[in-house]
Every structure is written in C-alpha cells, then in structure tokens.
Amino acid sequence: MATEARTLHVDVVSAEQEIFSGDAEFVALPGEAGELGIYPMHTPLITRIRPGSVRIKLAGSGEEELVFVAGGILDVQPTAVTVLAETAIRGRDLDEAKANEARKQAEETLANRTATVDYAKAQAELAEAIAQLAAISRLREQRR
C-alpha cells in the first residue's frame, strides 16, 4: 500500500513477470484516448492502454522509472495503479537494433501489395516498434 496520501502504489505486470512494484509520486502512460497523468487520489478508472512508455516518478527520489508496454489494461484506484500489460519491457532492457529491424519488417510488409498480407497485424507491429524507439529515445534523454 502507499505509505501516505502523497504517493500511490504502482504495479506493472505482464503475463510473464512482474516488471515494477513500488511507490510513486506520479505515473504517465499512453491511454486509449491519449496520454494519461495519474497523481495520488486519482478518480478510479479502468481503460485500455496503447503501446508506449509508462513513466513512473519514484517516491522520494525524483528519479523516473521507464517501462515499455505493448498495450494492455490500466486500473487506477485512489492509492494504487495497476498496469496489466500484454508485453512489458524495462527501459534499460530495450534493444534499439531489434526495434529498428521490427519497424523495417513491418514497413516492408505494409508496402507489399499481395492479398496474403495481414495489414492490421503489420500496422500493429509498426506502431509497437515506433513506440519502442520513442521509449529508447526518451531513456537516452533522461541519462544526459
């Protein structure tokens, strides 16, 4: 539980593992209708999330934890935030070369005009790769 009313407990989990669990002052992430910012005592909310970065401002330290998610569900309560991600990767574990290759393959698939191409899948893969690259760029800026 959050230690006081100025923090909230945050859990980010995927089907494979728990990625983050701890107290935070603020959480920002890509909601279905746009970027969401969540402070302690937020109104309860359940929504889908898009591929992108979950930014968690850690309680008491001013540091920020970055987690890439490839969609999922967000559950917000006044003192707790739970992100149930389809895929979740710690910012430090993101692989830029792999994300660039995935982006390239998705773009090539979309450029291919054959009837056997699953355009919706290719578009989703492209969006995920672009979101990963944006998360890597944000992480680089934080380190400067």
Side-chain angles (χ1 to χ4, degrees), residues 14-31:
S14 71
E16 295 84 31
Q17 63 183 329
E18 180 179 83
I19 301 296
F20 177 86
S21 182
D23 288 342
E25 296 173 7
F26 175 74
V27 179
L29 67 153

Side-chain angles (χ1 to χ4, degrees), residues 36-52:
L36 293 169
I38 302 160
Y39 284 98
M41 305 313 293
H42 193 285
T43 302
L45 167 74
I46 295 178
T47 187
R48 293 196 314 224
I49 52 177
R50 294 179 292 120

Side-chain angles (χ1 to χ4, degrees), residues 5-137:
R6 286 180 266 147
T7 63
L8 53 125
H9 186 79
V10 180
D11 288 308
V12 180
V13 297
S14 71
E16 295 84 31
Q17 63 183 329
E18 180 179 83
I19 301 296
F20 177 86
S21 182
D23 288 342
E25 296 173 7
F26 175 74
V27 179
L29 67 153
E32 188 173 45
E35 189 76 8
L36 293 169
I38 302 160
Y39 284 98
M41 305 313 293
H42 193 285
T43 302
L45 167 74
I46 295 178
T47 187
R48 293 196 314 224
I49 52 177
R50 294 179 292 120
S53 298
V54 176
R55 297 183 325 277
I56 305 163
K57 184 176 180 194
L58 303 177
S61 71
E63 292 182 27
E64 194 173 90
E65 180 79 20
L66 183 95
V67 178
F68 171 79
V69 294
I73 301 291
L74 169 68
D75 177 19
V76 177
Q77 297 300 319
T79 60
V81 172
T82 304
V83 177
L84 304 170
E86 294 169 11
T87 300
I89 305 168
R90 288 175 188 85
R92 63 181 178 269
D93 295 337
L94 288 170
D95 183 336
E96 186 171 12
K98 187 176 175 183
N100 271 317
E101 181 59 28
R103 179 185 54 84
K104 180 181 172 189
Q105 286 181 350
E107 287 172 343
E108 288 174 1
T109 300
L110 288 169
N112 185 351
R113 298 287 180 204
T114 66
T116 60
V117 172
D118 183 346
Y119 287 101
K121 181 179 178 191
Q123 286 176 327
E125 289 170 354
L126 179 59
E128 183 176 332
I130 289 170
Q132 275 193 34
L133 291 168
I136 291 167
S137 176

